[in-house]
Amino acid sequence: MKNVYVSLRKSENYYAILFLAPFLVGFILFNLIPILFSVILSFVDYNKLGPLNMDFVGWKNYVNIFSDDQAINGYLKSLMFTLGYVPAMIILSLLTAILINKSFHLRTLIRTMIFMPYVANVTAVAMVWSLLFDPFKGPVNQLLKLIGVSNPPLWFGGVNTSLLSIVIVNVWINLAFQTIVFLAALQGVPKDLYESSSIDGAGTWRKFINITIPSISPVTFFLIVTSVIGSFQNYSIVKLLTNGGPGTSSRVVSLNIYEEAFNFNKYSYASAQAMLLFAFILIITLIQWMWQKKWVQD
């Protein structure tokens, strides 16, 4: 009997390794090795086309970042983008999930319409929003003029509105995924908790604060962490809609890293910026992880 048990355990281990192997190979080839190579690049002087120059320069590339106004501006713009994007995304997706969790006419159609942006091509989305936010002939500004706004925003063309416009587009694209996750969490809240609170005389708001929010707090924490990480990696929409402009008003750090590497051939300097961004995201994530013990329900 013992031999049969040992044999089964060995078989389970064999199949576990077999199924995990493709993921591990892919992770090592396409994630781990490039990350390690980027770390090495950040400490050498490979900043131009030509033969691979691996002269060790220590922390020079990292030190140079703090005297580079454009690099610092990129980190600040990414931080501003995160501060606008994450709260808006969490609040809107939770409200949307609450609304479509209720029974109403045409609910299936409305759910489908909400989920459509998530599967749309990013380039097509950028084209649509560039037409909607056209400062001169776009329907959004035409509507604002009709209701009495004499100087409607320049949206992507305005120094003060370009980053906000990108926040709006990103929220619109990613709203569906967050809503799906919140919807699954809402449907997992035990109904007997609501029934018990109703017997005690609790209203809708008190149920939301005392039952819904604590029950979905693990999901909320997960979405906040992934949203923060994703917001610092935002690149494609910025590249397509503003290319960091006008001026440097929407030049986020990911765009800055890309241009340092592939436009100016400063691969080591770009790698140093990428490693600093990784450290920045890691610190924020650790702070969130410590903070979650105070409000996330087990």
Side-chain angles (χ1 to χ4, degrees):
M1 187 67 184
K2 184 177 180 181
N3 291 335
V4 174
Y5 175 75
V6 171
S7 177
L8 287 172
R9 290 287 297 177
K10 286 183 178 179
S11 298
E12 288 179 355
N13 292 338
Y14 170 77
Y15 284 114
I17 293 171
L18 186 65
F19 280 109
L20 288 174
F23 166 76
L24 289 175
V25 171
F27 174 76
I28 292 170
L29 286 178
F30 301 113
N31 290 85
L32 187 59
I33 291 177
I35 289 172
L36 294 176
F37 187 63
S38 183
V39 172
I40 294 170
L41 274 184
S42 69
F43 289 102
V44 299
D45 185 23
Y46 184 54
N47 295 328
K48 57 187 178 181
L49 291 174
L52 183 63
N53 180 6
M54 299 297 281
D55 292 342
F56 181 73
V57 296
W59 296 95
K60 181 182 176 183
N61 290 317
Y62 291 91
V63 173
N64 288 342
I65 293 173
F66 295 97
S67 59
D68 184 347
D69 292 339
Q70 187 161 283
I72 298 298
N73 176 73
Y75 287 102
L76 290 176
K77 287 293 183 294
S78 287
L79 182 61
M80 291 169 62
F81 174 82
T82 300
L83 293 175
Y85 169 77
V86 175
M89 174 60 74
I90 295 298
I91 294 171
L92 287 176
S93 58
L94 177 57
L95 291 176
T96 307
I98 291 172
L99 289 174
I100 64 176
N101 193 35
K102 298 181 181 300
S103 298
F104 56 88
H105 192 54
L106 298 178
R107 186 175 71 165
T108 303
L109 176 63
I110 292 175
R111 280 185 175 185
T112 305
M113 292 175 65
I114 290 172
F115 298 150
M116 281 180 66
Y118 194 66
V119 296
N121 181 276
V122 175
T123 305
V125 170
M127 290 174 63
V128 170
W129 279 97
S130 64
L131 292 174
L132 290 173
F133 278 169
D134 186 313
F136 304 107
K137 298 180 181 179
V140 174
N141 276 8
Q142 294 296 327
L143 181 62
L144 291 175
K145 288 178 181 177
L146 283 176
I147 61 176
V149 179
S150 56
N151 293 310
L154 294 175
W155 300 113
F156 301 118
V159 173
N160 298 320
T161 56
S162 58
L163 200 61
L164 173 63
S165 305
I166 292 171
V167 168
I168 293 172
V169 176
N170 273 277
V171 168
W172 186 80
I173 293 173
N174 296 310
L175 185 69
F177 172 76
Q178 305 257 358
T179 301
I180 292 171
V181 179
F182 267 132
L183 186 60
L186 289 172
Q187 293 178 348
V189 179
K191 298 292 186 294
D192 54 343
L193 292 178
Y194 292 117
E195 293 170 359
S196 301
S197 61
S198 296
I199 294 171
D200 294 337
T204 304
W205 178 249
R206 186 171 293 277
K207 291 178 185 175
F208 177 73
I209 295 297
N210 294 339
I211 297 175
T212 305
I213 293 295
S215 298
I216 65 171
S217 58
V219 169
T220 307
F221 172 67
F222 165 76
L223 292 177
I224 290 175
V225 170
T226 54
S227 297
V228 169
I229 294 172
S231 66
F232 278 102
Q233 297 172 337
N234 181 34
Y235 167 78
S236 55
I237 284 295
V238 179
K239 179 68 177 177
L240 289 168
L241 288 173
T242 66
N243 198 25
T248 57
S249 60
S250 62
R251 190 182 176 87
V252 294
V253 65
S254 297
L255 179 65
N256 205 46
I257 291 170
Y258 174 85
E259 293 197 343
E260 291 288 355
F262 300 107
N263 288 5
F264 309 132
N265 302 312
K266 298 179 179 179
Y267 295 103
S268 290
Y269 189 47
S271 296
Q273 289 192 32
M275 289 301 107
L276 192 62
L277 176 63
F278 171 76
F280 190 55
I281 294 174
L282 180 63
I283 292 170
I284 291 177
T285 304
L286 291 175
I287 292 172
Q288 291 176 303
W289 194 264
M290 290 186 288
W291 177 54
Q292 60 93 19
K293 296 176 182 176
K294 296 182 178 179
W295 64 276
V296 175
Q297 193 177 69
D298 294 331

